[in-house]
Short mmCIF file of all heavy atoms in Angstrom, two decimals:
data_model
loop_
_atom_site.label_atom_id
_atom_site.label_comp_id
_atom_site.label_asym_id
_atom_site.label_seq_id
_atom_site.Cartn_x
_atom_site.Cartn_y
_atom_site.Cartn_z
N PHE M 1 -9.38 -1.29 0.59
CA PHE M 1 -9.24 0.06 0.05
C PHE M 1 -10.63 0.57 -0.29
O PHE M 1 -11.36 -0.05 -1.08
CB PHE M 1 -8.37 0.07 -1.21
CG PHE M 1 -8.28 1.42 -1.87
CD1 PHE M 1 -7.41 2.39 -1.39
CD2 PHE M 1 -9.09 1.75 -2.95
CE1 PHE M 1 -7.34 3.64 -1.98
CE2 PHE M 1 -9.03 2.99 -3.56
CZ PHE M 1 -8.15 3.95 -3.07
N ASP M 2 -11.00 1.72 0.32
CA ASP M 2 -12.33 2.29 0.12
C ASP M 2 -12.18 3.58 -0.67
O ASP M 2 -11.63 4.58 -0.18
CB ASP M 2 -12.98 2.58 1.48
CG ASP M 2 -14.44 2.95 1.34
OD1 ASP M 2 -14.85 3.38 0.25
OD2 ASP M 2 -15.18 2.82 2.35
N PRO M 3 -12.66 3.61 -1.94
CA PRO M 3 -12.50 4.83 -2.75
C PRO M 3 -13.24 6.04 -2.17
O PRO M 3 -12.84 7.17 -2.41
CB PRO M 3 -13.08 4.42 -4.12
CG PRO M 3 -13.95 3.24 -3.83
CD PRO M 3 -13.33 2.53 -2.68
N GLN M 4 -14.29 5.79 -1.41
CA GLN M 4 -15.00 6.91 -0.81
C GLN M 4 -14.14 7.60 0.25
O GLN M 4 -14.12 8.83 0.34
CB GLN M 4 -16.31 6.42 -0.19
CG GLN M 4 -17.18 7.56 0.35
CD GLN M 4 -18.54 7.08 0.81
OE1 GLN M 4 -18.78 5.89 0.87
NE2 GLN M 4 -19.43 8.00 1.15
N LEU M 5 -13.38 6.78 1.03
CA LEU M 5 -12.48 7.38 2.01
C LEU M 5 -11.28 8.04 1.33
O LEU M 5 -10.77 9.06 1.79
CB LEU M 5 -11.99 6.31 2.99
CG LEU M 5 -13.05 5.71 3.93
CD1 LEU M 5 -12.43 4.61 4.78
CD2 LEU M 5 -13.63 6.81 4.83
N ALA M 6 -10.83 7.45 0.23
CA ALA M 6 -9.66 7.99 -0.46
C ALA M 6 -9.98 9.28 -1.20
O ALA M 6 -9.19 10.22 -1.22
CB ALA M 6 -9.10 6.95 -1.42
N GLY M 7 -11.15 9.36 -1.84
CA GLY M 7 -11.52 10.52 -2.62
C GLY M 7 -10.95 10.44 -4.04
O GLY M 7 -10.15 9.55 -4.38
N LEU M 8 -11.34 11.41 -4.89
CA LEU M 8 -10.87 11.45 -6.28
C LEU M 8 -9.39 11.74 -6.32
O LEU M 8 -8.85 12.45 -5.48
CB LEU M 8 -11.65 12.48 -7.08
CG LEU M 8 -13.17 12.26 -7.21
CD1 LEU M 8 -13.82 13.42 -7.94
CD2 LEU M 8 -13.46 10.94 -7.91
N GLY M 9 -8.72 11.12 -7.34
CA GLY M 9 -7.30 11.41 -7.52
C GLY M 9 -6.47 10.15 -7.50
O GLY M 9 -6.97 9.02 -7.55
N GLN M 10 -5.15 10.31 -7.46
CA GLN M 10 -4.18 9.21 -7.45
C GLN M 10 -3.66 9.02 -6.04
O GLN M 10 -3.24 9.97 -5.39
CB GLN M 10 -3.04 9.50 -8.42
CG GLN M 10 -1.97 8.41 -8.46
CD GLN M 10 -0.95 8.63 -9.56
OE1 GLN M 10 -1.30 8.75 -10.72
NE2 GLN M 10 0.31 8.72 -9.16
N HIS M 11 -3.67 7.76 -5.58
CA HIS M 11 -3.26 7.44 -4.21
C HIS M 11 -2.25 6.30 -4.22
O HIS M 11 -2.31 5.42 -5.09
CB HIS M 11 -4.48 7.06 -3.36
CG HIS M 11 -5.62 8.02 -3.47
ND1 HIS M 11 -5.64 9.23 -2.83
CD2 HIS M 11 -6.78 7.94 -4.20
CE1 HIS M 11 -6.76 9.86 -3.12
NE2 HIS M 11 -7.48 9.10 -3.96
N THR M 12 -1.35 6.29 -3.27
CA THR M 12 -0.34 5.23 -3.15
C THR M 12 -0.72 4.29 -2.01
O THR M 12 -0.94 4.72 -0.88
CB THR M 12 1.05 5.82 -2.88
OG1 THR M 12 1.42 6.68 -3.97
CG2 THR M 12 2.08 4.70 -2.75
N VAL M 13 -0.81 2.98 -2.35
CA VAL M 13 -1.10 1.94 -1.37
C VAL M 13 0.16 1.09 -1.21
O VAL M 13 0.77 0.68 -2.20
CB VAL M 13 -2.30 1.08 -1.79
CG1 VAL M 13 -2.50 -0.10 -0.85
CG2 VAL M 13 -3.56 1.93 -1.86
N SER M 14 0.55 0.79 0.02
CA SER M 14 1.77 0.03 0.29
C SER M 14 1.44 -1.23 1.08
O SER M 14 0.47 -1.28 1.85
CB SER M 14 2.78 0.87 1.08
OG SER M 14 3.16 2.01 0.34
N TYR M 15 2.27 -2.27 0.84
CA TYR M 15 2.18 -3.54 1.60
C TYR M 15 3.55 -3.79 2.22
O TYR M 15 4.56 -3.87 1.51
CB TYR M 15 1.77 -4.69 0.69
CG TYR M 15 1.69 -6.02 1.41
CD1 TYR M 15 0.77 -6.23 2.43
CD2 TYR M 15 2.54 -7.05 1.06
CE1 TYR M 15 0.69 -7.44 3.08
CE2 TYR M 15 2.48 -8.28 1.72
CZ TYR M 15 1.54 -8.47 2.73
OH TYR M 15 1.47 -9.67 3.38
N THR M 16 3.57 -3.93 3.57
CA THR M 16 4.83 -4.08 4.30
C THR M 16 4.84 -5.38 5.08
O THR M 16 3.86 -5.72 5.76
CB THR M 16 5.03 -2.90 5.28
OG1 THR M 16 4.96 -1.67 4.56
CG2 THR M 16 6.37 -2.99 5.97
N VAL M 17 5.93 -6.14 4.94
CA VAL M 17 6.11 -7.41 5.66
C VAL M 17 7.31 -7.27 6.58
O VAL M 17 8.37 -6.82 6.17
CB VAL M 17 6.31 -8.58 4.68
CG1 VAL M 17 6.60 -9.87 5.45
CG2 VAL M 17 5.10 -8.75 3.79
N LYS M 18 7.12 -7.69 7.84
CA LYS M 18 8.22 -7.69 8.80
C LYS M 18 8.37 -9.08 9.38
O LYS M 18 7.42 -9.65 9.93
CB LYS M 18 7.97 -6.67 9.92
CG LYS M 18 7.99 -5.22 9.42
CD LYS M 18 7.82 -4.24 10.58
CE LYS M 18 7.88 -2.80 10.07
NZ LYS M 18 7.72 -1.83 11.19
N GLY M 19 9.56 -9.68 9.23
CA GLY M 19 9.80 -11.04 9.69
C GLY M 19 10.72 -11.09 10.89
O GLY M 19 11.19 -10.07 11.40
N SER M 20 11.02 -12.34 11.30
CA SER M 20 11.86 -12.54 12.48
C SER M 20 13.34 -12.29 12.17
O SER M 20 14.13 -12.08 13.08
CB SER M 20 11.67 -13.97 13.01
OG SER M 20 11.97 -14.92 11.99
N VAL M 21 13.68 -12.38 10.89
CA VAL M 21 15.06 -12.07 10.48
C VAL M 21 15.01 -11.00 9.40
O VAL M 21 14.00 -10.81 8.73
CB VAL M 21 15.78 -13.34 9.98
CG1 VAL M 21 16.01 -14.32 11.12
CG2 VAL M 21 15.00 -14.01 8.86
N GLU M 22 16.14 -10.32 9.21
CA GLU M 22 16.17 -9.16 8.33
C GLU M 22 15.74 -9.49 6.91
O GLU M 22 15.03 -8.72 6.25
CB GLU M 22 17.58 -8.55 8.32
CG GLU M 22 17.75 -7.36 7.37
CD GLU M 22 16.81 -6.20 7.70
OE1 GLU M 22 16.45 -6.03 8.88
OE2 GLU M 22 16.42 -5.48 6.75
N CYS M 23 16.14 -10.64 6.40
CA CYS M 23 15.85 -10.94 4.99
C CYS M 23 14.38 -11.20 4.75
O CYS M 23 13.94 -11.31 3.61
CB CYS M 23 16.68 -12.12 4.52
SG CYS M 23 15.93 -13.73 4.73
N MET M 24 13.58 -11.32 5.81
CA MET M 24 12.15 -11.55 5.65
C MET M 24 11.36 -10.25 5.70
O MET M 24 10.12 -10.27 5.71
CB MET M 24 11.64 -12.51 6.73
CG MET M 24 12.25 -13.91 6.64
SD MET M 24 11.59 -15.06 7.86
CE MET M 24 9.90 -15.25 7.27
N ASN M 25 12.06 -9.07 5.71
CA ASN M 25 11.39 -7.78 5.66
C ASN M 25 11.30 -7.29 4.22
O ASN M 25 12.23 -7.50 3.42
CB ASN M 25 12.14 -6.75 6.51
CG ASN M 25 12.20 -7.14 7.97
OD1 ASN M 25 11.34 -7.87 8.45
ND2 ASN M 25 13.22 -6.67 8.68
N GLY M 26 10.19 -6.66 3.87
CA GLY M 26 10.02 -6.15 2.50
C GLY M 26 8.81 -5.26 2.38
O GLY M 26 7.94 -5.22 3.27
N GLU M 27 8.77 -4.51 1.26
CA GLU M 27 7.65 -3.59 1.02
C GLU M 27 7.40 -3.48 -0.47
O GLU M 27 8.32 -3.53 -1.28
CB GLU M 27 7.93 -2.21 1.62
CG GLU M 27 6.76 -1.24 1.46
CD GLU M 27 7.03 0.11 2.15
OE1 GLU M 27 6.80 0.18 3.36
OE2 GLU M 27 7.48 1.03 1.44
N SER M 28 6.09 -3.35 -0.83
CA SER M 28 5.70 -3.16 -2.22
C SER M 28 4.61 -2.11 -2.25
O SER M 28 3.75 -2.06 -1.35
CB SER M 28 5.19 -4.48 -2.81
OG SER M 28 4.80 -4.29 -4.16
N SER M 29 4.66 -1.22 -3.28
CA SER M 29 3.68 -0.13 -3.38
C SER M 29 3.04 -0.12 -4.76
O SER M 29 3.58 -0.67 -5.73
CB SER M 29 4.36 1.23 -3.11
OG SER M 29 4.90 1.26 -1.81
N GLN M 30 1.89 0.57 -4.82
CA GLN M 30 1.15 0.64 -6.07
C GLN M 30 0.28 1.89 -6.07
O GLN M 30 -0.26 2.27 -5.02
CB GLN M 30 0.28 -0.61 -6.22
CG GLN M 30 -0.33 -0.80 -7.58
CD GLN M 30 -1.07 -2.13 -7.68
OE1 GLN M 30 -2.11 -2.23 -8.29
NE2 GLN M 30 -0.53 -3.16 -7.05
N ASP M 31 0.18 2.55 -7.23
CA ASP M 31 -0.67 3.74 -7.35
C ASP M 31 -2.07 3.33 -7.77
O ASP M 31 -2.26 2.48 -8.65
CB ASP M 31 -0.10 4.72 -8.39
CG ASP M 31 1.17 5.41 -7.89
OD1 ASP M 31 1.32 5.52 -6.66
OD2 ASP M 31 2.01 5.81 -8.73
N VAL M 32 -3.06 3.95 -7.11
CA VAL M 32 -4.46 3.67 -7.38
C VAL M 32 -5.13 4.97 -7.81
O VAL M 32 -4.94 6.01 -7.17
CB VAL M 32 -5.16 3.10 -6.14
CG1 VAL M 32 -6.61 2.76 -6.45
CG2 VAL M 32 -4.42 1.89 -5.61
N ILE M 33 -5.90 4.90 -8.89
CA ILE M 33 -6.58 6.09 -9.43
C ILE M 33 -8.07 5.97 -9.20
O ILE M 33 -8.69 4.97 -9.58
CB ILE M 33 -6.28 6.27 -10.93
CG1 ILE M 33 -4.78 6.48 -11.14
CG2 ILE M 33 -7.08 7.42 -11.49
CD1 ILE M 33 -4.39 6.61 -12.59
N VAL M 34 -8.65 6.98 -8.57
CA VAL M 34 -10.10 7.08 -8.43
C VAL M 34 -10.55 8.20 -9.37
O VAL M 34 -10.30 9.38 -9.11
CB VAL M 34 -10.51 7.39 -6.97
CG1 VAL M 34 -12.02 7.46 -6.84
CG2 VAL M 34 -9.95 6.33 -6.03
#
């Protein structure tokens, strides 16, 4: 995560996992403040 590319303000960063079976898929998000 590069704050210079993001700029000032609040931004949402997400992490997504995709597996071979449905139960191994998931996502988590977080707000980042510059």
Side-chain angles (χ1 to χ4, degrees):
F1 176 81
D2 190 338
Q4 185 173 8
L5 292 177
L8 299 176
Q10 179 172 304
H11 311 282
T12 299
V13 174
S14 298
Y15 179 64
T16 304
V17 176
K18 294 183 178 180
S20 57
V21 292
E22 177 60 29
C23 90
M24 296 183 68
N25 298 334
E27 183 176 276
S28 179
S29 299
Q30 191 175 142
D31 288 334
V32 182
I33 298 177
V34 181

